[in-house]
Amino acid sequence: MEQKIDISKLVDQILSNIGSISSSGLYTGKAGLSLALFEASRYLNDENIENEAFKLLQESLVVENHDFSFENGLSGIGYVLLYLIENKFIDADFDEIFGKQYEQVMKEIITIRNNPERLLGSLKIIYFLSIVREINVKDKRINEIIKAIFEGIELYLSMQFFDWSDIYYVNNKTYVLEIYETYLKLLLYSDYSDFSKLLLRDYTELYCKNKILSSYPVGHYLKRLTTQYGIPNYKDVIESNINNGFKDLSLSELILKEKIEIICLIHEDSNIFNDSEQKELIIKNISIRMMPDGQDIPIEYQNGLARYLAFYVNRNIPQL
């Protein structure tokens, strides 16, 4: 009962601040709030919350939107709609509701395939394309676009890794490694098998030369990827990333989204803990620091209450 009261408070806090949200997208708009509230309504079996969630979804769908991004645009809204349909939160026809917007998104993505800068910013659209592919297998453009995006990102990353040790290297290495982590995560999410093995090698060579710091998430994704596709010779790099990266985690420096993702990875990586009690203790420690008191937390899905609420009521919800 206590957990339900806490969830109800989170819901009330979101509902009381909805007026501050004018955008329609997933990360910072009404679609993201709708997703979280639908999850909460099912958990609490509350029809009023469900009605509020449905209203927000409708508002996100009817607003004219010329942003095609996953984070704040049409592809993110389309993802939410499909997620709600597939998980039986709503009974709706995707093509009937979103067919026109879907074509707009596809045409826009096709035009940016040869634009490296815009392609880099479109990486997360793969989340949308992957879920659409499940219901629209006849649209051959989907796999072609996914392939083009991955190839563009691989070209970008290979160039970064090639120049990594150059004293005149000027790009933000933290940002590049964040792109690499997202790239690995999306390979797994989309089941894209035609990825660059050379890029794995380039990363490994830099890591073994101590040019790249250990990363627990990167080690986790590399382990899953190499296991899924039977790629040998990465065991040492994977174990080093996981063990050293986990030891070096600084919870105080992690944002809410990152803390949630770490908890999800810990649930999957039981082999790095001596026993289940140690695992649960670490998860509890992260959870306690998840929502610090005395701070204003935004209600948005990107890094706010909506993401926390959705995760709290459904630990299996994809972390996007």
Side-chain angles (χ1 to χ4, degrees):
M1 179 64 71
E2 183 178 352
Q3 188 183 37
K4 287 195 174 186
I5 293 174
D6 290 339
I7 294 172
S8 296
K9 288 180 179 179
L10 287 174
V11 171
D12 290 342
Q13 193 168 348
I14 290 174
L15 291 177
S16 63
N17 288 280
I18 281 180
S20 65
I21 302 297
S22 58
S23 58
S24 57
L26 169 57
Y27 272 21
T28 61
K30 295 178 180 180
L33 299 183
S34 173
L35 173 61
L37 291 174
F38 266 116
E39 290 283 5
S41 71
R42 174 172 289 178
Y43 185 88
L44 296 172
N45 192 25
D46 191 313
E47 188 175 341
N48 290 328
I49 298 175
E50 182 182 358
N51 291 337
E52 292 294 336
F54 188 72
K55 186 188 303 182
L56 285 168
L57 177 64
Q58 287 180 310
E59 291 174 3
S60 70
L61 288 167
V62 299
V63 173
E64 187 173 355
N65 194 333
H66 298 290
D67 183 343
F68 300 94
S69 71
F70 181 78
E71 293 87 338
N72 299 306
L74 285 175
S75 59
I77 296 171
Y79 175 91
V80 171
L81 176 61
L82 266 176
Y83 177 87
L84 295 174
I85 293 172
E86 287 196 344
N87 289 278
K88 303 187 185 308
F89 286 98
I90 60 174
D91 182 12
D93 186 296
F94 177 79
D95 290 332
E96 181 180 331
I97 296 175
F98 205 75
K100 181 180 177 181
Q101 293 95 320
Y102 170 70
E103 284 302 322
Q104 291 175 339
V105 171
M106 296 300 283
K107 289 178 182 178
E108 177 67 14
I109 298 174
I110 290 172
T111 64
I112 66 174
R113 287 168 60 176
N114 297 319
N115 188 325
E117 291 185 3
R118 294 185 65 193
L119 198 63
L120 189 63
S122 303
L123 181 57
K124 289 187 178 181
I125 284 180
I126 290 175
Y127 284 124
F128 172 63
L129 295 174
S130 297
I131 195 172
V132 169
R133 184 175 54 188
E134 296 177 10
I135 66 162
N136 199 355
V137 294
K138 293 182 179 180
D139 191 343
K140 296 181 179 180
R141 296 174 299 175
I142 297 176
N143 284 332
E144 292 174 357
I145 293 172
I146 289 176
K147 181 178 177 64
I149 293 176
F150 274 128
E151 288 179 346
I153 298 303
E154 288 170 346
L155 176 60
Y156 167 81
L157 288 171
S158 64
M159 292 172 63
Q160 303 308 310
F161 290 160
F162 181 80
D163 293 332
W164 199 261
S165 301
D166 193 317
I167 59 173
Y168 298 108
Y169 185 84
V170 296
N171 290 334
N172 186 323
K173 291 185 175 180
T174 299
Y175 172 73
V176 173
L177 292 175
E178 287 174 355
I179 294 293
Y180 183 65
E181 180 183 325
T182 302
Y183 161 77
L184 294 175
K185 186 177 179 180
L186 282 166
L187 288 178
L188 291 161
Y189 184 88
S190 63
D191 285 325
Y192 181 76
S193 59
D194 194 22
F195 56 89
S196 171
K197 311 304 185 294
L198 291 177
L199 190 60
L200 296 185
R201 184 204 64 187
D202 292 344
Y203 168 85
T204 299
E205 288 180 355
L206 288 171
Y207 181 82
C208 291
K209 293 177 182 177
N210 295 318
K211 300 294 184 180
I212 293 177
L213 294 176
S214 296
S215 165
Y216 172 47
V218 167
H220 172 90
Y221 297 133
L222 280 175
K223 180 179 180 180
R224 286 181 55 194
L225 196 67
T226 55
T227 300
Q228 181 171 329
Y229 294 104
I231 304 173
N233 305 323
Y234 288 93
K235 182 179 179 181
D236 291 343
V237 172
I238 290 168
E239 290 183 353
S240 178
N241 260 300
I242 290 177
N243 294 327
N244 294 326
F246 188 81
K247 291 176 184 176
D248 293 339
L249 279 176
S250 177
L251 297 181
S252 61
E253 296 179 2
L254 298 179
I255 60 176
L256 174 64
K257 177 178 181 291
E258 293 170 333
K259 291 176 183 176
I260 291 175
E261 289 176 345
I262 291 297
I263 288 179
C264 292
L265 299 187
I266 289 174
H267 275 296
E268 297 180 30
D269 281 333
S270 57
N271 59 310
I272 69 172
F273 302 99
N274 295 327
D275 54 54
S276 58
E277 289 186 5
Q278 180 193 21
K279 173 181 173 181
E280 292 305 319
L281 184 62
I282 292 172
I283 291 175
K284 182 179 180 181
N285 187 30
I286 298 176
S287 299
I288 290 173
R289 304 186 189 191
M290 190 87 76
M291 301 289 287
D293 294 330
Q295 293 188 18
D296 292 329
I297 307 295
I299 66 171
E300 63 191 28
Y301 193 85
Q302 180 176 14
N303 191 43
L305 291 178
R307 181 181 290 272
Y308 180 64
L309 173 63
F311 170 71
Y312 205 62
V313 299
N314 180 7
R315 297 299 172 99
N316 295 317
I317 190 170
Q319 293 304 312
L320 310 168

